[in-house]
Amino acid sequence: LQLHHSGHYRCMGWVSAAVPLWSESELVTVTVHRVPLSGVSLWAQPPGGQVALGDHLVLSCAVATGTGPLSFTWHRGGSRAPLGTGPHLELQHVGDNDSGHYHCR
């Protein structure tokens, strides 16, 4: 279900006869609610984020539950400037300046 599926529903039908007989159900109201995000996790490949100079590092972020659409931004330290978007951040050739604490938002 998506949020736009909220609304009023009923079913209708007819009995085929010389003169069709229509019948319809009571009206049912359906309300779809957002599910709050929870279970946000981050992991690194290689595990622990321990890499040698010049190696490849992939950071991944996932959400266990929550109503989308989801978007991700990556940050290092206290910086508000995003390093990237999407569920994965890839650092192709890790250098000294790539050390630090990373988080996804």
Side-chain angles (χ1 to χ4, degrees):
L1 289 172
Q2 299 294 320
L3 292 175
H4 70 271
H5 290 121
S6 293
H8 305 288
Y9 292 86
R10 73 175 69 208
C11 63
M12 298 170 39
W14 74 91
V15 176
S16 181
V19 176
L21 301 172
W22 282 92
S23 183
E24 63 184 50
S25 71
E26 294 292 321
L27 194 64
V28 173
T29 301
V30 173
T31 305
V32 180
H33 299 277
R34 287 193 176 276
V35 175
L37 296 179
S38 66
V40 178
S41 60
L42 185 147
W43 68 96
Q45 185 58 40
Q50 300 298 313
V51 293
L53 286 173
D55 280 355
H56 184 101
L57 174 67
V58 178
L59 300 175
S60 298
C61 192
V63 175
T65 61
T67 303
L70 298 175
S71 61
F72 299 89
T73 56
W74 288 92
H75 305 269
R76 182 174 55 227
S79 173
R80 293 177 101 32
L83 298 171
T85 59
H88 308 288
L89 177 66
E90 292 190 40
L91 303 175
Q92 297 293 332
H93 301 285
V94 175
D96 288 330
N97 58 340
D98 293 316
S99 293
H101 297 280
Y102 289 79
H103 66 275
C104 65
R105 217 177 248 161

